[in-house]
Amino acid sequence: MTANATTDFPDSSDIGYLLHKHPDRVQSWNLPMGTTTVLYPEVSVERTTVAVLLNDGAASGLAVALSRLFKQTLAGVCTGRPELVSAAIDLMISMPAAPSRGATDLASRMFGPLGWKVDATPIPLDPTQPHWGNSEYVDLVLTGTFTLSAALRHLYVLLPVLDDGKHYWVGEDEADKLVRAAWDWLGDHPESSLIASRYLAHRRELVASALDRLVPDAPQGDAAPRDPTLAEQRVRAVLAALTGAGAKSVIDLGCGEGRLLREILADNSFDRVLGADVSDRALAKAQRRLRLDDMSDRQRARIELVQSSATYRDARLHGFDAMVLMEVIEHVDLDRLPALVRSVFLQARPRTVLVTTPNSEYNALYPGLEPGTFRHVDHRFEFTRAQFEHWGSSVAREHGYDVRIEGIGPVDDMHGTPTQMAVFTREEQTR
């Protein structure tokens, strides 16, 4: 299988910095899916072409190869020329034999809504026998203007969708990969259900898990009974801690698209709920997921959504019993973490603060996660258990809280649990 990418940059040869592959070299790797070669057939200031050749004919194999060959590009890392990471590039990507199983317009339905111009020419089964009709392959050409990281993430997710036949075991870690790769676009894609279903080998419980994290109120059908996902276990642990603290008013700081808010609102013991996030797009999705417009006046009075940052003082965050930061701190640059601590523990100062974050030691158990990389492309850091305990103890000591650390998810004797939670509490001062 061959894929070519041609770019038009102020100096198009700069794409070598982004791909971390030198234009003057032909490089080959023996990957699990076969020998893979990267070369540059054409290099100039005006136009540069990069070719990826793979022995495996499966699109899922090419997608995995792209993730292995260009993992830093996918993550948006370019230490040599960091200013290039956010630059939109005029791209043309061609695959002479791309799968299109099930529909001739499948590539257009997948890539078109993302902003690509799609030219998919059906390939005959046999050019000498036109009455046999077309094969399930197309000559695919995509043109568009994207950051290289975004373009590669589109290919990484959608190539296996076109193929509809992953050639390796698909488990819960695959749903996590889908969320990590498509977090910023799949929720709004008109074919989100089809994409998730094909990407996850039609495993209904995994599709339900991924869509629930990406799409507000995604229809899940009659799903078979299954073990709770890590995301579900995390929500349950947070709700149990809030109930144990006797909280009646709660802030979900960094609420995202409202998954936790929905569960909090379902419990009438919480009288007042505030969802805060820096992203107005996420808040709009939370409003749809919670169906605020359809709520009764009594229910609507319990919930408010506001745009706010975890690192800045905001008077609207004062006066609540509890605050939750569920999978938030790892998205903050380490040098901004003290600002978050000040705004939460010094200024807002609720009686209870719950903080959940990944345990980086557990990453070794994820087979699809390369050593030294984070679980999400937007993570700025991930604490080990010792680092998190030290951070939590320091924050508690400095701001007059007690703290206990709990694990969430399956327990491994060596690596602990995938998620760790700090429960900060302080006694109310009496006059």
Side-chain angles (χ1 to χ4, degrees):
M1 178 170 286
T2 304
N4 297 303
T6 300
T7 179
D8 181 12
F9 227 21
D11 182 345
S12 73
S13 63
D14 284 347
I15 196 173
Y17 289 100
L18 285 168
L19 294 175
H20 303 268
K21 302 291 182 288
H22 199 285
D24 293 340
R25 299 174 186 165
V26 176
Q27 297 175 270
S28 295
W29 294 263
N30 290 319
L31 300 180
M33 67 290 303
T35 302
T36 306
T37 301
V38 177
L39 67 153
Y40 290 72
E42 178 184 18
V43 180
S44 70
V45 172
E46 295 79 17
R47 180 183 170 97
T48 295
T49 300
V50 185
V52 179
L53 293 83
L54 178 65
N55 286 349
D56 189 339
S60 58
L62 179 58
V64 174
L66 292 176
S67 72
R68 300 285 183 88
L69 297 172
F70 307 123
K71 61 182 179 181
Q72 291 174 293
T73 314
L74 279 160
V77 175
C78 182
T79 54
R81 295 284 300 277
E83 73 278 5
L84 299 179
V85 171
S86 59
I89 310 171
D90 292 332
L91 291 167
M92 181 176 68
I93 298 173
S94 64
M95 292 182 60
S100 184
R101 303 190 193 280
T104 57
D105 65 341
L106 188 61
S108 295
R109 288 161 54 194
M110 297 298 102
F111 288 97
L114 298 174
W116 291 98
K117 180 180 180 295
V118 182
D119 184 4
T121 304
I123 298 175
L125 279 171
D126 186 336
T128 66
Q129 304 291 334
H131 60 282
W132 287 4
N134 293 322
S135 69
E136 291 186 319
Y137 290 83
V138 296
D139 183 353
L140 178 62
V141 179
L142 305 171
T143 53
T145 304
F146 299 90
T147 66
L148 198 54
S149 173
L152 284 176
R153 287 190 291 115
H154 295 167
L155 293 171
Y156 175 72
V157 171
L158 294 179
L159 288 181
V161 172
L162 296 178
D163 196 19
D164 196 22
K166 286 205 167 181
H167 299 273
Y168 53 87
W169 169 249
V170 174
E172 187 170 329
D173 62 312
E174 207 71 6
D176 293 337
K177 290 180 190 176
L178 176 60
V179 173
R180 287 199 300 268
W183 63 273
D184 58 340
W185 58 267
L186 184 53
D188 290 329
H189 199 292
E191 300 282 0
S192 56
S193 295
L194 178 62
I195 291 170
S197 182
R198 283 185 165 221
Y199 185 90
L200 298 170
H202 303 277
R203 292 192 58 189
R204 290 188 300 171
E205 74 281 5
L206 297 180
V207 174
S209 167
L211 289 180
D212 191 53
R213 285 180 274 173
L214 290 165
V215 185
D217 301 308
Q220 299 179 6
D222 297 325
R226 58 177 175 80
D227 293 331
T229 65
L230 178 59
E232 291 167 340
Q233 294 179 65
R234 192 182 295 127
V235 169
R236 293 178 186 179
V238 167
L239 289 173
L242 289 172
T243 301
K248 298 298 181 184
S249 57
V250 180
I251 300 174
D252 183 4
L253 185 58
C255 66
E257 296 170 13
R259 177 188 177 92
L260 177 62
L261 289 173
R262 184 176 61 184
E263 302 303 322
I264 292 175
L265 282 173
D267 187 336
N268 288 323
S269 66
F270 299 108
D271 299 329
R272 184 183 175 205
V273 182
L274 179 71
D277 200 280
V278 71
S279 168
D280 56 353
R281 182 170 177 238
L283 291 171
K285 289 188 175 183
Q287 181 169 348
R288 293 197 299 271
R289 165 175 273 179
L290 299 172
R291 294 195 173 103
L292 296 190
D293 294 337
D294 299 329
M295 281 185 179
S296 67
D297 291 343
R298 183 181 66 83
Q299 283 287 84
R300 186 65 182 84
R302 294 173 60 211
I303 175 72
E304 183 181 3
L305 300 179
V306 299
Q307 189 172 13
S308 185
S309 169
T311 58
Y312 291 97
R313 181 173 184 172
D314 189 336
R316 295 172 297 179
L317 308 185
H318 297 184
F320 286 77
D321 296 335
M323 180 181 290
V324 179
L325 293 93
M326 189 171 76
E327 308 300 284
V328 169
I329 64 170
E330 63 273 10
H331 294 270
V332 177
D333 289 325
L334 270 173
D335 61 358
R336 294 292 295 159
L337 200 53
L340 179 147
V341 169
R342 285 193 300 272
S343 68
V344 171
F345 292 92
L346 180 64
Q347 295 159 358
R349 201 162 175 76
R351 283 192 294 111
T352 301
V353 179
L354 308 179
V355 178
T356 76
T357 194
N359 163 26
S360 65
E361 296 166 75
Y362 200 88
N363 291 355
L365 301 180
Y366 290 113
L369 199 60
E370 297 289 339
T373 58
F374 297 147
R375 295 186 202 175
H376 193 289
V377 295
D378 192 46
H379 286 184
R380 302 300 194 261
F381 66 91
E382 290 178 357
F383 279 139
T384 65
R385 286 172 289 174
Q387 290 169 335
F388 187 54
E389 185 171 358
H390 174 73
W391 177 80
S393 298
S394 299
V395 169
R397 184 171 55 252
E398 183 176 351
H399 295 285
Y401 283 77
D402 295 321
V403 65
R404 71 176 187 273
I405 307 295
E406 301 178 0
I408 301 174
V411 181
D412 179 80
D413 291 340
M414 180 178 294
H415 301 96
T417 58
T419 297
Q420 46 193 346
M421 178 169 68
V423 181
F424 297 89
T425 56
R426 66 174 180 84
E427 295 296 329
E428 285 279 26
Q429 294 181 350
T430 57
R431 295 183 179 180

